[in-house]
Amino acid sequence: MTAPEPELSPLAAANQRIRETAKWLIASSAAVGAALIAGSQLSSIGRLEVGWPSTAANARLWVAAAGSLLALAAVGYAIGNAVRVLLPVQVLISDLAENWDHPTPQLRPVVGFFRRRPKFLQGTPTPADLIKRRDDLVGQLDQPAAPADLRDRIQAFDQRIDAVEAVANHEALKAAFQRCLYRLLIAALVAAAGIIAFAWAANPPAKTVTADLRNAKLTGAFLRDADLRGAKLDGADLTGADLTGADLTGASIIKVIWQNTVCPDGSNSDANSKTCQGHLHAG
């Protein structure tokens, strides 16, 4: 029968939860990057024109490329910051003593924590005092009149120092995680801006196709409900054509031959002074 795993201390359990959250953030950021790459394959970016942005299509290509690179860079930045939380953290009692009055940016949150909560220094005013008291006991080991319980007292100080360092490491990890969350927020905003730019640029609106029917012979053509918006019908022959319900919005109809033509509103051009002008909207 296997022996049960030892129960984690509250600080060790808290550190484990922080690192598990960091792993989840890494996985989430990687998923965003994968979705962006997959989305590029589903977009219309391949139909954009290549070249310097002298046209709208060229500009869209450059915006799409810049947006995707910006988003991927933000994702990489987020992953890099989350990975730092997984790295081992080691703050020694000597580090606290050296940085007690003038802490480095990395140790400033840790030193601030102990200054606000001196009880975690195990009954000593400063980390340096805790070190000195232990060193004084160690210095008595070679003395003939050393107390019998000296080694036990040194061991007790070692345990106190271990407790201080455990709290310091937890606070350092927590501070690193908080910095990571702040940077992840910035990365998320940058990535969102990049994704929006990419989505807009890589999916241009569909081009409107304008029918060019100038001078076309459309005699007897069946054009019921036809979409002829913006069509060029100049000079077209629509003799006998049926345009019932057709949409000619914006169409050019200069010199069109209207003869026995059924107009969009259902009337006959011969009854309208041989024209469909004024009868181009379905009745």
Side-chain angles (χ1 to χ4, degrees):
M1 187 174 70
T2 58
E5 294 184 0
E7 186 176 351
L8 294 175
S9 67
L11 285 179
N15 292 344
Q16 187 177 40
R17 287 194 296 271
I18 290 175
R19 288 192 166 95
E20 289 296 330
T21 304
K23 291 179 183 178
W24 180 83
L25 291 174
I26 293 172
S28 300
S29 300
V32 172
L36 179 62
I37 294 173
S40 66
Q41 300 174 358
L42 301 176
S43 67
S44 302
I45 190 171
R47 289 183 291 179
L48 300 180
E49 297 178 15
V50 179
W52 186 250
S54 56
T55 66
N58 294 150
R60 280 183 174 272
L61 178 62
W62 285 96
V63 171
S68 62
L69 290 176
L70 183 65
L72 289 175
V75 168
Y77 178 77
I79 292 175
N81 277 278
V83 167
R84 289 195 188 98
V85 180
L86 300 179
L87 298 177
V89 177
Q90 187 174 22
V91 180
L92 302 177
I93 190 74
S94 58
D95 297 327
L96 291 177
E98 292 173 3
N99 290 271
W100 190 251
D101 294 322
H102 304 286
T104 62
Q106 290 75 17
L107 287 179
R108 187 175 294 122
V110 182
V111 173
F113 172 84
F114 283 104
R115 284 185 174 276
R116 293 189 303 271
R117 297 171 177 83
K119 66 178 182 179
F120 286 99
L121 286 173
Q122 302 293 315
T124 55
T126 65
D129 185 69
L130 184 57
I131 295 173
K132 182 179 183 303
R133 292 173 64 179
R134 180 191 180 277
D135 290 344
D136 290 343
L137 291 176
V138 172
Q140 298 177 26
L141 286 174
D142 297 331
Q143 296 179 8
D149 64 343
L150 184 57
R151 293 187 181 277
D152 292 337
R153 291 165 62 185
I154 294 174
Q155 185 177 5
F157 267 95
D158 288 338
Q159 292 174 350
R160 293 165 68 178
I161 290 175
D162 289 341
V164 170
E165 290 179 346
V167 173
N169 289 328
H170 172 69
E171 290 301 314
L173 179 62
K174 189 169 69 172
F177 184 69
Q178 290 172 345
R179 288 194 299 269
C180 173
L181 289 180
Y182 175 74
R183 291 167 180 170
L184 285 181
L185 176 60
I186 296 176
L189 294 175
V190 173
I195 291 173
I196 291 173
F198 172 81
W200 172 82
N203 295 280
K207 295 181 179 180
T208 302
V209 179
T210 301
D212 188 351
L213 298 172
R214 288 174 293 184
N215 302 314
K217 300 297 181 180
L218 299 173
T219 55
F222 184 81
L223 298 173
R224 279 178 172 261
D225 301 316
D227 184 359
L228 296 172
R229 289 174 295 179
K232 298 177 181 179
L233 293 166
D234 302 333
D237 185 353
L238 292 174
T239 300
D242 185 355
L243 296 172
T244 304
D247 188 353
L248 275 75
T249 303
S252 179
I253 52 174
I254 300 173
K255 295 183 179 180
V256 170
I257 299 175
W258 309 101
Q259 186 173 344
N260 193 31
T261 305
V262 180
C263 301
D265 65 356
S267 63
N268 193 289
S269 61
D270 290 356
N272 302 325
S273 302
K274 295 188 179 298
T275 182
C276 281
Q277 289 275 14
H279 301 271
L280 298 178
H281 300 285

